[in-house]
Amino acid sequence: MKYGIEFVPNEPVMKLAYYTKLAEDNGFSNVWITDHYNNRDVYSTLTVLALSTNRILLGTGVTNPYTRNVSITASSIASINELSGGRAVLGIGPGDKATFDAMGIAWEKPLTTVKEAVAALREFFAGKKVTTEGLVSFKGAKLAFKSGNIPIYLGAQGPKMLELAGEIADGVLINASHPKDFEVAVKQIEKGASKAGRSMDEIDVGAYASFSIDKNAEKAKNEAKIVVAFIVAGSPDAVLERHGIAKSDAENIASLIAKGDFGGLMGAVTDDMMDAFSVYGTPEDCMQRINELKEIGVTQLIAGSPIGPNKERSIKLIGKEIIAKQ
Ligand code: F42
C-alpha cells in the first residue's frame, strides 16, 4: 500500500508546503491538490510544493477538461514535471457540476470529454503535434518543450467512468472509504482493463478517503462529522442504499447544511454514516480499515479532509503508526 495525502488549497499555500514536507518526511509517496476556481490555484500550489520537497510525487487531484483548455493543462503539468525533476502526476476528472454552474460552464458529455482529453494529453506528452476533432479539438497544437512521460489518473465514481479508467488510465482516484464501494468500483475497473487487454498491476487504485486520525477516537470521529455530512448530502441514492442510509436522513442533513446549522449536523450524523463515508479513529482503527481496502485491491490510500483534529499531529501519527509499521 502506498500513502497519499490530499490538500484543498483553501488555506495559504505556504502552510500546505509545510504539511507536504512533513508528509514526505513521514513516508507519504504522493500529494494531491484539488482544483476548484474558488480556492488557490492548483498549479501555483504545486509549484511551491515542488520547490519545498525532494521526493514526493505532486498531483492535481483532480483537474478537469472544462475550465482549462487541454493544451494549457498539458503545458502547466509539464512545467511542474520539469521544475520538480519528474515528479508530476496528472489527476483529471469530469469536474464538479455545482462549481461549473456558478462559472456558467455547460457540462456536456463528461465521459466522452474526459476520454478525448486523455488521448490528447498523451499525444502532447509524447511531443506530438495534436490534431483532433471532437468535443476536444486541436488543429496542430504542440508543446515547445519536453514534458516527460506524465502518469494520468482519473477521478471517477460512476460505473462508466471507472470502466474508462481501467481502459486508459495509469491510476484512479475514487472518492470513497468503505470496502462495499470498492468491491463495486474494482469490478468496473477490471472490466475496463480486460476490455483493453491490460493487467490490474498497471493501474494504481486510489482510495480518496475522508480520513481522521487521533490517539483519542472520539476526537477523531468528531473532527470528521461535518465532512461526512457533506458527503451524505451529495451521495447518489444508490450509494445511500448500499450503506443502508435512509434518503430522508440524507435530506435532513442537506437541509441542516443549507441552514448552516452545524450544531444540528453534529447530532444528525450517525455512526452508520461515519462508517460508510470515512476512515476514522485511532491508528489501530484506521489500520484495520486500510487492511480491508487493501484486500479488495486498493493500492494507494489517500488521506483526505479532515486528516485529523490537528493536521501536523495526524500526519506524524500516520507516518509512525501506520506507514512505518507496514
Ligand atoms: N472535482 C473537481 O471539480 N475538483 C476536484 O478537485 C475534484 C477532486 C476529486 C478527487 C477524486 C474524485 O474521485 C473526484 C474528484 N472530483 C473533483 C469530482 C470529479 O470531477 C467528478 O465530479 C466525480 O468523480 C463524479 O464523476 P463520475 O465519475 O460519477 O462521472 C459522471 C460524469 C457520470 O455521470 N458518469 C457516468 C458513469 O456511469 O460513470 C457516465 C455518464 C455518461 O456516460 N455520459 C455520457 C458522456 O459521453 O459523457 C453522455 C450520456 C448522454 O446521454 O449524454
Side-chain angles (χ1 to χ4, degrees):
M1 182 71 87
K2 289 183 287 187
Y3 289 84
I5 193 157
E6 173 224 41
F7 292 115
V8 179
N10 57 4
E11 47 189 340
V13 175
M14 293 316 290
K15 206 166 166 183
L16 301 187
Y18 173 74
Y19 291 142
T20 302
K21 179 68 185 132
L22 192 64
E24 177 176 89
D25 291 343
N26 277 276
F28 285 80
S29 60
N30 290 69
V31 60
W32 299 97
I33 303 297
T34 61
D35 181 15
H36 294 101
Y37 79 91
N38 50 327
N39 288 325
R40 277 96 179 153
D41 171 66
V42 63
Y43 295 106
S44 317
T45 304
L46 288 172
T47 302
V48 173
L49 302 191
L51 299 177
S52 317
T53 55
N54 303 305
R55 282 177 289 105
I56 200 163
L57 302 180
L58 306 148
T60 51
V62 300
T63 190
N64 67 77
Y66 292 92
T67 54
R68 302 170 205 261
N69 183 285
V70 171
S71 60
I72 301 295
T73 295
S75 163
S76 301
I77 199 71
S79 306
I80 301 294
N81 205 38
E82 183 180 79
L83 67 89
S84 66
R87 292 188 282 139
V89 182
L90 184 75
I92 186 164
D96 170 30
K97 183 166 186 321
T99 18
F100 289 176
D101 286 348
M103 295 171 85
I105 292 176
W107 206 44
E108 279 156 13
K109 298 220 178 255
L111 184 91
T112 314
T113 306
V114 168
K115 188 176 179 176
E116 292 182 8
V118 172
L121 284 160
R122 298 255 192 236
E123 296 210 343
F124 279 114
F125 296 162
K128 292 188 181 152
K129 198 181 237 190
V130 187
T131 300
T132 169
E133 207 171 316
L135 294 167
V136 173
S137 288
F138 289 107
K139 294 178 180 168
K142 183 179 185 301
L143 291 183
F145 67 107
K146 284 204 170 78
S147 66
N149 189 14
I150 301 170
I152 301 180
Y153 282 54
L154 285 198
Q157 251 73 252
K160 287 190 183 158
M161 198 62 79
L162 288 161
E163 192 179 326
L164 179 66
E167 280 176 61
I168 65 169
D170 300 300
V172 50
L173 303 171
I174 306 161
N175 251 330
S177 307
H178 198 279
K180 278 186 190 168
D181 297 311
F182 286 96
E183 271 160 17
V184 175
V186 168
K187 278 200 188 105
Q188 286 307 117
I189 301 167
E190 281 170 351
K191 196 169 154 192
S194 88
K195 218 160 111 183
R198 305 176 74 208
S199 146
M200 282 300 279
D201 294 345
E202 297 172 48
I203 305 160
D204 189 11
V205 178
Y208 216 81
S210 163
F211 196 95
S212 185
I213 189 167
D214 197 89
K215 282 186 177 158
N216 180 323
E218 206 54 28
K219 273 194 190 167
K221 180 174 170 182
N222 285 337
E223 191 65 25
K225 277 193 174 174
I226 299 295
V227 177
V228 167
F230 276 87
I231 300 173
V232 170
S235 287
D237 292 353
V239 174
L240 293 174
E241 217 171 278
R242 189 181 296 151
H243 294 286
I245 294 166
K247 200 174 170 199
S248 55
D249 290 345
E251 284 166 353
N252 175 39
I253 288 197
S255 84
L256 290 167
I257 291 174
K259 281 187 247 163
D261 181 356
F262 290 94
L265 275 181
M266 291 298 281
V269 174
T270 63
D271 283 356
D272 284 349
M273 293 173 186
M274 291 297 299
D275 185 57
F277 297 120
S278 177
V279 178
Y280 71 96
T282 62
E284 293 72 29
D285 296 332
C286 295
M287 192 62 155
Q288 192 183 331
R289 173 60 67 88
I290 290 168
N291 285 336
E292 289 167 14
L293 297 178
K294 193 172 162 184
E295 283 288 299
I296 297 164
V298 170
T299 49
Q300 182 174 164
L301 188 283
I302 297 130
S305 294
I307 302 170
N310 175 306
K311 279 199 180 72
E312 189 171 335
R313 212 168 53 221
S314 299
I315 291 168
K316 288 182 186 163
L317 260 187
I318 299 171
K320 193 160 156 243
E321 302 294 336
I322 297 182
I323 301 178
K325 287 193 175 166
Q326 286 210 113

